Amino acid sequence: MSATLLAVQTLNGLQLGILLFLIAAGLTLVFGVMDFINLAHGVQYMLGAYLAVAAYALTGSFWGALVLALIGALGLGLLLELLVFRHLYDRDHLDQVLATFGVIMFLNEGVKVVWGAAPLSLPMPDLLSGSIVLMDGLLYPVYRIALIGAGLGVALLLYVLVSRTRAGMLVRAGATNPAMVGALGVNIRRLFMLVFGFGTMLAGFAGILAAPILVVEPGMGDNLLILAFVVIVIGGIGSIRGAFLAALIVGLVDTLGRGFATDIAKMVLSPSAANDVGPAIASMLIYVLMAGVLFFRPTGLFPARSG
Amino acid sequence: MKRKMTAALAAVALGVSSLAAEAESLKIGFLATLSGPPAVLGIQMRDGFLLGVKEAGDKLGGLDTEVLVVDDELKPDGALTKVRGLLERDKVDMMAGVVFSNVMMAVYKPIVGSETIFVGANAGPSPIAGKACSPYFFTTSYQNDQNHEAMGKHAEDAGYKRMIVMAPNYQAGKDSIAGFKRHFKGEIVDEIYTKLGQLDFSSELTKIAAAKPDAVFVFMPGGMGVNLVKQYAQAGLAGNVPFLSAFTVDETTLPATQDTAVGLLAGAQWAPDLDNAANKAFVASFEAEYGYAPSLYAAQGYDAARLIDGALKKAGGKGDKAALMAALKDAPFESVRGDFSFNTNHFPIQDVYVVKAVKREDGKYVTQTVEKVFDDKIDAYVGECRMK
């Protein structure tokens, strides 16, 4: 277990963490600010990826696809808000879970009807298609470094938006006491719609960025949605800062676990037993972590609301 | 008077023919995974089967054929309920299909237990080939280990000494590695088991790069395989460490992996370029009908329909079940893989190949045979089957 190997695995973990953050950011924003459980966040991530593939076929350029797919994701998100989600804000969480679960099934089948069930892919942009040598025999795509940059950029943008702008202030106020903000003459519905649209766009953005390295297929968001929920629960629901740190922690724990759990198990167990135990432990680690965090800090690491 | 007579005769004739049609029709329950990420496998298998039915003029063995296609959603318990419905409510004459081994294990006993003829078109788990074999079950696919065994043999023949093997951490993954090891005698440097449905393989690829094996063998079906193949190329491993696989690089994943998969090797019992008349006709009419390139799943589905067609013709209908089963056992059809016969456990005795992903002249990505690894391969479990 050399230092280089550890360093490379740490970088891999950070990169997975950033990808998780891109998805979890929108989820925690909508959940935290609007108190709305949106299980359909994962399919909005999927839609972003599919729209990018479709837009790429139209424009032939990754950047054109990025812009068009972002607009498309926003449009579809707002349409869903108008048709479905708007009617759920005042209902309890179980109703929201049921209805948004229905949206998942509808859209997973929908993309299959439109694009077929076979996995699709989006080529990397030429500008970012190079790679650097990390260690002997292993290249690291520049695109993955750009992904880390984009994730950090989104984190910074969100920080500035939420804590430094008037809109961000209204959002925070609306989250604490929507009735009072409404009484002060702010259109709370429109505010929520903006937040929701932004959250949708973040999910779509994550889908577009993930498309060149991950597969584009129906149901691609479902697995990530579970991980994103783990992230926001660890980080504290509604907290962007919490989501950011928790995403990095989850990414690191998961990657390092996969990288080293079997080797560590081999120190105490026979190789064949280690091959059984190692992967099992590796896939449990983040859930054990979540359980631990919930035990000691039931509201997560950085609760958005105290009390 | 005369006119009345004619009308009466016509009525009688009509009545008779509709009665005859009722007796001489065939109802097949076709179970496949058609939703969720692995749906593409089930869709290929179904399209292949339905093409076989269509080419027989919707009359397999001359009987009006109705195919009831049912989605098992990759849920063994749900599949069981649906199969009971097909057997008891719809009273199907035969069952066919099934993509995944866990679904197969759930529905196998109830189907063969009800003495319904069951023609499998993909999953071939070891118990069904061995101890739990049944005279009612036939499969046009393979025993699950076969394609992995072919890769193990290929690795051994190629002289690889140090290999890393990788598969998802579930039963089929473990079986795959066991199958690979059966003919590979070199050193396995590391066995990597990943989470089922894993998306990002950077951690595993780093391990591979650090260990510098002579080659890797992977079993990563569906979307996992697409992710792995893309990331394998992006990590710069594709040119340096040979990539052997089974059920990872085929026509279901190639549309997504495209150039990143070209040149990668896989074990398969079928490829679109197998040189026989039945295969040429199949590939051409499949692409004309559906507009995409068939994979081995489609070929197996097609062979299942043709097997049923041929056996019904040979047995003279579905009336005598014993005769029909004997006819099925003889495999009276031209398989798209050429050489094809059933062993005593009703699993195929067939050739297994190393295939390679290539880009065809028309821009489609397909597999192409490189070499034949096994001639008339017999599966490893036939000895445990009590049928002789």
Side-chain angles (χ1 to χ4, degrees):
Chain A
M1 203 187 298
S2 69
T4 332
L5 191 58
L6 189 65
V8 174
Q9 293 292 33
T10 307
L11 183 65
N12 289 334
L14 285 178
Q15 181 245 309
L16 179 65
I18 291 285
L19 186 66
L20 288 178
F21 168 70
L22 283 174
I23 299 159
L27 190 66
T28 202
L29 200 66
V30 170
F31 197 176
V33 173
M34 299 160 68
D35 195 28
F36 174 60
I37 300 187
N38 183 16
L39 291 187
H41 198 75
V43 289
Q44 282 160 339
Y45 159 85
M46 172 184 74
L47 278 181
Y50 269 100
L51 286 172
V53 170
Y56 182 84
L58 275 181
T59 62
S61 135
F62 177 84
W63 307 106
L66 178 69
V67 173
L68 282 181
L70 267 185
I71 296 170
L74 177 66
L76 281 174
L78 290 179
L79 186 70
L80 277 174
E81 204 268 352
L82 191 73
L83 290 177
V84 186
F85 302 148
R86 176 167 292 189
H87 312 288
L88 299 167
Y89 293 156
D90 301 328
R91 311 283 285 264
D92 66 19
H93 283 161
L94 189 60
D95 290 356
Q96 296 171 353
V97 165
L98 276 177
T100 52
F101 189 67
V103 171
I104 292 183
M105 295 203 276
F106 179 80
L107 287 179
N108 275 344
E109 286 305 309
V111 296
K112 209 183 294 169
V113 170
V114 178
W115 284 284
L120 303 173
S121 69
L122 182 68
M124 279 189 187
D126 286 338
L127 185 63
L128 302 173
S129 63
S131 48
I132 53 171
V133 181
L134 269 193
M135 54 186 245
D136 189 22
L138 184 72
L139 300 177
Y140 201 77
V142 172
Y143 186 83
R144 285 182 180 248
I145 294 170
L147 193 78
I148 295 179
L152 294 176
V154 167
L156 190 68
L157 177 74
L158 276 172
Y159 172 75
V160 172
L161 274 183
V162 172
S163 58
R164 293 277 183 272
T165 65
R166 185 177 164 75
M169 192 183 74
L170 285 176
V171 163
R172 280 180 291 144
T176 320
N177 193 337
M180 181 55 79
V181 177
L184 291 173
V186 176
N187 186 339
I188 204 84
R189 285 273 159 180
R190 187 186 296 160
L191 188 69
F192 276 10
M193 202 174 88
L194 277 175
V195 170
F196 186 84
F198 193 69
T200 300
M201 231 162 78
L202 280 178
F205 184 62
I208 301 163
L209 288 193
I213 48 173
L214 301 182
V215 61
V216 180
E217 64 182 353
M220 65 188 274
D222 300 357
N223 280 337
L224 274 174
L225 180 76
I226 295 170
L227 286 178
F229 267 109
V230 171
V231 165
I232 71 168
V233 166
I234 290 179
I237 286 161
S239 161
I240 302 283
R241 189 169 53 142
F244 183 70
L245 285 174
L248 292 189
I249 294 171
V250 167
L252 278 174
V253 166
D254 189 53
T255 305
L256 294 177
R258 272 156 44 206
F260 299 114
T262 309
D263 295 331
I264 292 170
K266 271 182 192 154
M267 291 177 188
V268 285
L269 296 166
S270 71
S272 70
N275 276 333
D276 284 336
V277 172
I281 290 178
S283 55
M284 271 192 290
L285 272 181
I286 58 167
Y287 302 101
V288 173
L289 176 74
M290 180 171 80
V293 168
L294 284 180
F295 184 77
F296 292 106
R297 305 194 60 152
T299 46
L301 294 176
F302 298 94
R305 296 173 213 177
S306 37
Chain B
M1 184 65 194
K2 198 175 180 187
R3 190 186 283 168
K4 252 186 195 165
M5 273 282 277
T6 326
L9 271 175
V12 168
L14 269 176
V16 167
S17 74
S18 77
L19 265 178
E22 203 146 277
E24 286 301 296
S25 71
L26 180 73
K27 212 187 236 184
I28 300 175
F30 192 84
L31 190 67
T33 305
L34 300 169
S35 53
V40 58
L41 312 185
I43 289 169
Q44 285 246 1
M45 188 176 77
R46 176 199 65 194
D47 286 353
F49 189 82
L50 293 181
L51 180 68
V53 174
K54 190 182 167 203
E55 284 187 353
D58 290 327
K59 289 173 188 291
L60 290 182
L63 309 181
D64 284 325
T65 304
E66 184 188 359
V67 183
L68 305 172
V69 178
V70 172
D71 179 11
D72 61 39
E73 301 173 41
L74 192 44
K75 292 183 183 133
D77 50 341
L80 188 57
T81 315
K82 287 175 178 172
V83 163
R84 291 226 166 91
L86 287 170
L87 294 175
E88 287 158 25
R89 181 192 59 230
D90 300 316
K91 306 222 181 304
V92 295
D93 298 302
M94 279 185 200
M95 283 295 302
V98 185
V99 178
F100 285 92
S101 293
N102 54 346
V103 174
M104 177 59 96
M105 290 311 288
V107 303
Y108 174 74
K109 281 259 162 64
I111 295 173
V112 298
S114 69
E115 304 191 344
T116 306
I117 291 173
F118 183 10
V119 180
N122 190 54
S126 52
I128 294 180
K131 286 199 180 73
C133 66
S134 161
Y136 295 95
F137 181 79
F138 300 83
T139 183
T140 54
S141 54
Y142 42 70
Q143 198 284 314
N144 281 357
D145 298 8
Q146 275 182 346
N147 294 353
H148 310 289
E149 285 174 352
M151 272 343 264
K153 180 83 164 38
H154 172 73
E156 181 68 21
D157 293 348
Y160 298 136
K161 299 287 176 233
R162 301 171 69 246
M163 291 207 51
I164 287 187
V165 294
M166 180 155 83
N169 192 19
Y170 75 128
Q171 196 53 47
K174 302 247 159 119
D175 290 350
S176 147
I177 302 300
F180 177 82
K181 284 184 190 162
R182 197 164 290 142
H183 295 277
F184 178 68
K185 301 297 169 221
E187 183 196 354
I188 305 275
V189 186
D190 203 355
E191 289 181 32
I192 304 176
Y193 292 101
T194 67
K195 233 179 309 184
L196 192 58
Q198 184 161 315
L199 303 166
D200 188 72
F201 291 93
S202 44
S203 171
E204 288 76 10
L205 295 177
T206 306
K207 271 175 138 176
I208 292 173
K212 296 196 182 53
D214 293 342
V216 296
F217 168 72
V218 306
F219 165 63
M220 286 285 161
M224 289 185 287
V226 175
N227 283 332
L228 177 65
V229 165
K230 282 168 82 171
Q231 293 167 18
Y232 197 78
Q234 287 165 4
L237 288 166
N240 297 322
V241 184
F243 183 95
L244 316 181
S245 68
F247 307 106
T248 304
V249 176
D250 60 33
E251 287 77 3
T252 63
T253 56
L254 282 170
T257 50
Q258 302 196 342
D259 284 330
T260 54
V262 166
L264 301 187
L265 301 179
Q269 85 289 8
W270 176 86
D273 69 331
L274 284 186
D275 195 15
N276 65 68
N279 196 37
K280 285 199 178 105
F282 161 66
V283 173
S285 63
F286 189 94
E287 290 191 22
E289 180 81 20
Y290 301 110
Y292 65 91
S295 66
L296 47 90
Y297 305 99
Q300 293 154 199
Y302 183 73
D303 267 359
R306 305 247 300 175
L307 166 68
I308 295 170
D309 183 47
L312 282 167
K313 277 180 186 148
K314 185 166 184 189
K318 63 175 189 182
D320 184 349
K321 202 182 258 183
L324 181 54
M325 280 155 63
L328 282 164
K329 171 79 173 53
D330 288 341
F333 73 111
E334 291 288 316
S335 169
V336 291
R337 58 206 106 155
D339 216 4
F340 183 100
S341 61
F342 280 121
N343 207 337
T344 50
N345 58 352
H346 297 176
F347 274 69
I349 300 174
Q350 60 188 344
D351 306 339
V352 191
Y353 305 86
V354 171
V355 301
K356 180 175 74 175
V358 295
K359 186 175 187 177
R360 223 168 44 182
E361 275 159 18
D362 65 356
K364 279 188 181 143
Y365 294 84
V366 293
T367 57
Q368 196 178 65
T369 46
V370 177
E371 59 165 331
K372 190 190 280 189
V373 182
F374 291 122
D375 191 53
D376 291 341
K377 172 75 178 155
I378 291 168
D379 67 82
Y381 304 95
V382 66
E384 296 169 23
C385 171
R386 67 191 179 287
M387 292 192 296
K388 295 292 170 226

